[in-house]
């Protein structure tokens, strides 16, 4: 699952990802060559896992309120757990993965725990039990994200990183879009109340099992390192806290947090559009679909672009598009054309940041600390975006929607050059000299 | 990836796919079988039930009729029920009209509010934003109110926002959040996070009661549709319901207990201001409905493995007696004392 619906990615970037790594046989396929099987397999794992989780997410509110009769406060409670839990365990998952040198094991455990939580939805009822199930699912998500991204990084040559993360995020997003469709398809075919929801849960379990199967069977236990070293040499490099003390990863985290602080949550942006009258509240849920569709279409091409012109540049460019999105929403959000433009810009922003930031993070840390490094940067983004949402809510109350949005946009426009300065120190070649150190 | 692994992977995918298809078809089949067998409830024609005083509700017997609009006669509430053609998440009805909040799937779920004719068949439908929560009508069916939860309005993930709309003759009035609300100290409620929900109408087609909230405080308010104003009467009272004689308001009383979402049912005498706690001691999260001037109805989910089923309970409004099940396998009750309502001014 991508980070985008929870707090997420951040910023970073080695400038000039352009130059192909000067070394070794990787050069043979300059534009990145074929997508590695591992990346496809991990992408399919995410696709099915997302079908599984989004199918549940789509019907859960209705299940909780209409079928179980829970009140809105109870629903808000479950929803809050759902949104906030994963960030906390993400770094832990990354650390464990690096420490043990077995990312597949940790990721498998994460996917497995989430799959198990779906099984528990069948017999479990009542608010406390459901909260536990949801927390379990998020625990799994937190655990698997770091090691999974580390495996993608490890399977990619440095000049493929952006493209490969793009492929993964596109497959992930495809699953997120298919999940709700399948869930409501099932509900339409089995209109018998509880039985229909149970059928959705069964669908979700099956999809989770398929996702897990792709991970266990199609992903090798030891992913060949990007340096093409024989697997035997990889475990030698053990994880050390010192690896995270590196100036580049710190700069990346600071820049990511800075940009994240000025990233208004999607929900708010959609509310601005609805408030401005560009779209009725009824169509509210479709806004997310629109953004996802744009993200899906752009993830791979923008990832490729990042490999070619530099990931820092694309990351910063994505934030420039975000400034544009704010400006459009604040000024022309009342028109349908404005709404469509905002969704496109937002999808493009995610394409330029979500996978790209993981690619950047993986460049900044040594081989043995990749999962922790990626997870740390993602957590920095997540926490700063959460803080951002709270602050933006206040700002909106105190001023007005357009003023608040323009103010944040202006601050972001000022922050982008600052972030660019911070990110100057990132490796200028995609490989980064220390990768195989 | 070895040939063997590809084969195993293919087999897992095929088996999972087959299992889902078989399960869905089997459940679908079982649903129609149980509906055909109709083991527990006998059905009667809708017109028979509507001819006398009756109760309209959301059916919760498992099977094909789950979620369907249904009705029973007040003379035999546990007996044979009549089923409507529409599925409703929330339903309300009067002698002359009804309202049914429907949900339908898609890439994102959509909700609509359907207007029902005197025969409880849908006559028109309008889209509705957010998760359906409450639905109420005035006695003559002219005023309709729905409350939905819009999670996109949340500032932090654990809060929610409501959208409560009153319709007059099918036309939407502006969201209650835009109306003028006076707090007990005479100040106007202007907090941006104000929310309103759970409307109940008086027979004059103007006065209504509702819940107003800001932050962690909730107020019982009395409003006027014509003036677009509301005035707070007291705090910690949610989801009011006005008695048929207009002299009492029953509501969920928020206890001093800081645990969110724990309520006791209470009834307020509007003339004396005396509040009575009802005999129901369980936590009820429903907008109560008056069966008559002396007793109240509300739905309560069962415990344990039956939590997906709810029943409609009855309790005296004066604090005496003990709660009892009036209609099993039902929720969202609406009392239509047909003869009485026709005679009412």
């Amino acid at each position: 699952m991508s980070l985008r619906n929870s707090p997420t990615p951040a910023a970073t970037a080695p400038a000039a990802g352009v130059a192909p790594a000067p070394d070794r046989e990787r050069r043979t396929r300059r534009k990145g060559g074929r997508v590695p099987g591992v990346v496809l397999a991990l992408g399919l794992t995410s696709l099915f896992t997302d079908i599984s989780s989004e199918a549940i997410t789509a019907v859960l509110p209705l299940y909780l309120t209409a079928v179980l009769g829970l009140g809105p406060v109870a629903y808000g409670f479950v929803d809050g757990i759902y949104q906030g839990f994963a960030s906390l365990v993400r770094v832990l998952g990354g650390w464990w993965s690096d420490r043990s040198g077995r990312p597949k094991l940790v990721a498998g455990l994460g996917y497995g725990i989430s799959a198990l939580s779906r099984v528990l939805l069948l017999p479990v009822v009542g608010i406390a039990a459901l909260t536990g199930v949801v927390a379990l699912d998020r625990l799994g998500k937190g655990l698997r994200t770091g090691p999974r991204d580390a495996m993608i990084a490890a399977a990619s040559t440095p000049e493929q990183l952006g493209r490969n993360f793009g492929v993964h995020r596109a497959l992930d997003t495809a699953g997120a879009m298919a999940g709700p469709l399948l869930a409501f398809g099932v509900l339409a075919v089995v209109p018998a109340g509880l039985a229909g929801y149970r059928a959705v849960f069964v669908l979700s379990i099956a999809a989770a099992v398929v996702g897990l199967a792709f991970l266990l069977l199609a992903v090798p236990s030891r992913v060949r390192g990007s340096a093409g070293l024989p697997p035997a040499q990889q475990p030698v490099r053990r994880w050390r806290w010192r690896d995270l003390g590196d100036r580049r990863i710190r700069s990346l985290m600071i820049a990511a947090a800075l940009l994240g602080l000025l990233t208004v949550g999607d929900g708010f942006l959609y509310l601005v559009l609805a408030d401005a009258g560009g779209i009725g509240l009824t169509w509210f849920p479709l806004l997310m679909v629109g953004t996802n569709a744009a993200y899906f279409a752009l993830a791979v091409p923008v990832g490729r672009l990042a490999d070619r012109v530099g990931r820092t540049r694309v990351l910063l460019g994505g934030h420039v598009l975000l400034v544009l999105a704010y400006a459009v929403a604040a000024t022309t959000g009342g028109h349908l054309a404005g709404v469509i433009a905002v969704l496109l810009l937002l999808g493009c922003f995610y394409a330029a940041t979500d996978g790209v930031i993981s690619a950047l993070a993986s460049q900044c840390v040594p081989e043995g600390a990749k999962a922790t490094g990626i997870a740390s940067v993602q957590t920095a983004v997540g926490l700063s975006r959460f803080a951002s949402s709270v602050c933006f809510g206040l700002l909106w109350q105190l001023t007005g929607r357009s003023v608040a949005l323009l103010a944040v946009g202006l601050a972001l426009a000022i922050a982008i050059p600052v972030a660019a300065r911070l990110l100057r120190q990132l490796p200028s070649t995609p490989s980064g000299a220390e990768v195989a150190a | 990836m070895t040939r063997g692994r590809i084969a195993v992977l293919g087999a897992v995918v095929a088996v999972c796919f087959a299992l889902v298809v078989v399960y869905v078809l089997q459940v679908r089949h079982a649903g129609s079988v149980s509906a055909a067998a109709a083991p527990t409830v006998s059905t009667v024609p809708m017109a028979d039930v509507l001819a006398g005083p009756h109760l309209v509700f959301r059916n919760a017997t498992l099977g094909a009729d789950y979620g369907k609009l249904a009705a029973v006669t007040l003379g035999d509430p546990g007996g044979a029920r009549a089923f409507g053609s529409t599925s409703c998440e929330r339903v309300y009805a009067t002698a002359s009209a009804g309202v049914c909040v429907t949900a339908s799937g898609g890439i994102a779920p959509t909700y609509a509010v359907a207007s029902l004719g005197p025969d409880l068949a849908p006559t028109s439908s309008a889209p509705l934003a957010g998760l359906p929560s409450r639905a109420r009508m005035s006695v003559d069916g002219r005023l309709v109110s729905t409350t939905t939860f819009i999670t996109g309005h949340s500032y932090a993930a654990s809060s929610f926002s409501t959208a409560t709309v009153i319709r007059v003759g099918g036309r939407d009035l502006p969201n209650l959040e835009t109306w003028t609300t006076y707090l007990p100290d005479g100040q106007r409620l202007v907090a941006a996070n104000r929310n309103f929900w759970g409307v109940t109408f008086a027979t004059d087609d103007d006065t209504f009661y509702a819940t107003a909230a800001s932050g962690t405080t909730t107020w019982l308010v009395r409003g006027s549709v014509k003036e677009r104003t509301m005035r707070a009467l007291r705090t910690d009272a949610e989801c009011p319901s006005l008695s048929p004689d207009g002299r009492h308001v029953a509501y969920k009383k928020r206890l001093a207990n800081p645990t969110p979402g724990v309520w006791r049912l209470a009834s307020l005498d509007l003339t004396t201001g005396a509040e009575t706690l009802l005999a129901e001691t369980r936590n009820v999260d429903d907008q109560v409905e008056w069966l008559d001037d002396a007793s109240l109805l509300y739905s309560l989910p069962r415990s344990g493995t039956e939590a997906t089923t709810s029943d409609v309970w009855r309790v005296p409004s004066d604090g005496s007696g003990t709660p009892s099940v009036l209609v099993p396998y039902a929720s969202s009750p609406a009392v239509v004392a047909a003869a009485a309502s026709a005679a009412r001014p």
Side-chain angles (χ1 to χ4, degrees):
Chain A
M1 231 181 129
S2 89
L3 298 166
R4 55 161 298 258
N5 290 327
S6 52
T8 303
T12 287
V18 191
D23 57 328
R24 296 169 209 158
E25 69 281 6
R26 258 171 282 146
R27 230 173 312 165
T28 46
R29 304 193 197 108
R30 288 193 50 231
K31 288 290 157 77
R34 291 171 52 198
V35 177
V38 174
V39 172
L40 281 181
L42 287 170
L44 288 169
T45 299
S46 289
L47 184 144
F48 282 103
T49 303
D50 254 30
I51 286 179
S52 173
S53 63
E54 294 301 316
I56 298 283
T57 305
V59 302
L60 201 59
L62 205 53
Y63 178 69
L64 291 176
T65 59
V67 181
L68 297 188
L70 297 180
V73 175
Y75 169 63
F77 185 63
V78 173
D79 196 49
I81 296 247
Y82 201 92
Q83 307 291 343
F85 201 73
S87 274
L88 296 174
V89 272
R90 199 176 285 148
V91 177
L92 180 72
W95 175 79
W96 185 13
S97 160
D98 287 334
R99 191 72 224 232
S100 64
R102 307 187 63 181
K104 186 183 165 186
L105 176 81
V106 178
L109 202 66
Y111 283 110
I113 288 176
S114 291
L116 181 69
S117 77
R118 310 281 145 64
V119 178
L120 291 178
L121 271 178
L122 284 177
V124 159
V125 283
I127 182 72
L130 272 170
T131 306
V133 167
V134 167
L136 204 57
D137 173 61
R138 296 291 92 179
L139 173 70
K141 176 176 163 53
L143 274 183
R144 72 194 179 224
T145 310
R148 185 249 284 139
D149 277 358
M151 283 191 280
I152 295 172
S156 311
T157 61
E159 63 270 28
Q160 296 177 325
L161 270 177
R163 195 269 321 261
N164 286 357
F165 272 107
V167 168
H168 174 267
R169 299 299 197 256
L171 286 169
D172 185 272
T173 307
M177 290 191 287
L181 280 181
L182 287 169
F184 287 109
V186 167
L187 276 187
V189 175
V190 188
L194 177 61
Y197 289 95
R198 288 230 154 120
V200 172
F201 297 158
V202 168
L203 162 80
S204 171
I205 294 166
V209 169
V210 170
L212 197 56
F214 268 100
L215 177 78
L216 296 180
L217 295 167
V219 177
S221 297
R222 295 239 181 266
V223 177
R224 187 171 48 83
S226 59
L229 299 174
Q233 283 181 254
Q234 296 253 323
V236 177
R237 181 72 170 76
R238 294 307 288 219
W239 186 88
R240 290 175 311 200
W241 278 111
R242 209 181 333 141
D243 294 333
L244 286 185
D246 187 283
R247 231 168 1 131
R248 284 162 307 194
I249 190 79
R250 244 183 303 150
S251 305
L252 178 56
M253 281 174 71
I254 294 169
L258 173 68
L259 294 173
L261 268 179
L262 297 167
T263 301
V264 174
D266 295 3
F268 275 120
L269 210 48
Y270 300 156
L271 269 182
V272 169
L273 296 177
D275 259 28
I279 186 161
L281 270 182
T282 319
W283 301 103
F284 206 83
L286 280 184
L287 295 175
M288 198 188 73
V289 177
T291 305
N292 266 339
Y295 181 23
F296 169 72
L298 292 168
V300 177
V302 174
R304 262 183 213 284
L305 184 73
D307 291 338
R308 203 155 343 122
V309 307
R311 293 189 260 273
T312 315
R313 236 174 268 175
V314 166
L315 182 81
L316 294 170
H319 284 86
V320 172
L321 294 182
L322 190 61
V323 173
L324 272 181
Y326 293 168
V328 173
T331 53
T332 53
H335 303 285
L336 187 61
V339 172
I340 292 169
V342 169
L343 298 189
L344 279 175
L345 287 167
L346 204 54
C348 202
F349 162 73
Y350 281 114
T353 52
D354 191 5
V356 171
I357 209 151
S358 291
L360 271 174
S362 75
Q363 283 181 267
C364 292
V365 288
E367 202 63 49
K370 273 201 189 336
T372 324
I374 295 172
S376 301
V377 173
Q378 288 173 343
T379 299
V381 179
L383 294 179
S384 61
R385 284 199 183 164
F386 180 76
S388 157
S389 277
V390 174
C391 296
F392 185 78
L394 282 173
L395 191 62
W396 185 341
Q397 288 195 24
L398 294 175
T399 59
R401 60 163 193 270
S402 294
V403 176
L405 204 52
L406 288 173
V408 175
L410 183 66
L412 182 57
I414 295 169
I416 291 171
V418 178
R421 232 189 120 71
L422 278 166
L423 296 175
R424 263 196 328 194
Q425 323 178 21
L426 277 120
S428 58
T429 65
S431 61
E434 77 299 346
V435 167
Chain B
M1 211 171 143
T2 64
R3 212 169 276 251
R5 282 181 171 221
I6 294 175
V8 175
L9 185 57
V12 170
V13 173
V15 167
C16 284
F17 183 77
L19 274 180
V20 171
V21 170
V22 168
Y23 182 86
V24 167
L25 291 180
Q26 195 255 329
V27 172
R28 177 183 164 87
H29 180 67
S32 38
V33 168
S34 72
T40 48
V41 259
S42 46
T43 61
V44 287
M46 184 63 86
D48 293 2
V49 173
L50 299 187
H54 57 275
L55 186 76
V56 178
F57 57 95
R58 178 180 194 256
N59 177 52
T61 53
L62 299 181
D65 290 324
Y66 184 92
K68 286 252 177 78
L69 176 160
V72 290
T73 63
L74 279 178
D76 182 20
R81 45 184 76 175
F83 290 108
S85 57
T86 32
S87 286
C88 306
E89 305 305 323
R90 287 287 183 279
V91 61
Y92 200 78
T94 68
S96 58
V99 57
C100 161
V101 179
T102 61
S104 61
I107 203 161
T110 55
Y111 305 96
V113 50
S115 302
L116 308 175
D119 57 352
L120 298 183
T123 54
S124 70
S125 179
L128 192 66
L131 277 171
S133 172
R134 310 284 180 220
R136 279 292 185 276
M137 303 180 86
S138 61
V139 171
D140 61 9
R142 209 168 73 83
L143 302 184
V144 179
S145 170
T146 53
T147 300
T148 55
F149 297 108
I150 300 175
T151 50
H153 269 163
S154 299
Y155 289 167
S158 57
S159 63
F160 68 94
S161 177
T162 55
T164 292
V165 173
I166 293 178
R167 287 175 187 75
V168 179
R171 189 174 58 86
D172 282 9
L173 299 183
N175 188 324
L176 290 193
E177 287 180 27
T178 65
W179 297 23
T180 308
T181 305
Y182 297 98
L183 297 180
D185 60 4
Q187 299 270 358
R188 286 174 59 171
L189 173 62
V190 291
N193 65 347
R194 60 191 185 273
N195 275 308
F196 297 86
W197 67 89
V199 169
T200 179
F201 295 102
T203 49
D204 62 4
D205 274 5
D206 178 48
T207 307
F208 67 95
Y209 293 82
T211 318
S214 170
T216 55
T217 312
T218 61
W219 294 274
L220 170 68
V221 296
R222 170 165 41 208
S224 161
V225 174
K226 288 191 199 86
E227 294 172 12
R228 307 268 163 91
T229 58
M230 287 170 273
R231 278 167 210 282
L233 301 180
R234 60 191 298 136
T235 57
D236 295 332
E238 301 179 22
C239 287
S241 179
L242 188 64
S243 64
D245 61 11
R247 291 162 62 178
H248 292 83
V249 168
Y251 45 76
K252 303 184 317 196
K253 180 181 172 57
R254 195 194 288 219
L255 301 176
N257 180 348
T259 313
V262 175
W263 294 278
R264 268 293 295 276
L265 292 184
S267 173
L268 176 73
D269 186 321
L270 288 170
T271 18
T272 67
E275 183 183 72
T276 311
L277 282 181
L278 304 190
E280 175 61 79
T281 56
R282 290 168 293 182
N283 178 41
V284 176
D285 185 4
D286 190 25
Q287 186 169 11
V288 296
E289 165 79 351
W290 292 78
L291 175 61
D292 48 48
D293 287 327
S295 53
L296 294 161
L297 303 182
Y298 49 92
S299 64
L300 205 55
R302 296 184 179 182
S303 59
T305 54
E306 284 194 301
T308 52
T309 298
S310 54
D311 304 303
V312 169
W313 290 70
R314 169 193 188 165
V315 72
S317 65
D318 61 1
S320 68
T322 50
S324 59
V325 172
L326 184 75
V327 188
Y329 295 102
S331 67
S332 199
V335 175
V336 185
S341 84
R344 209 170 276 160

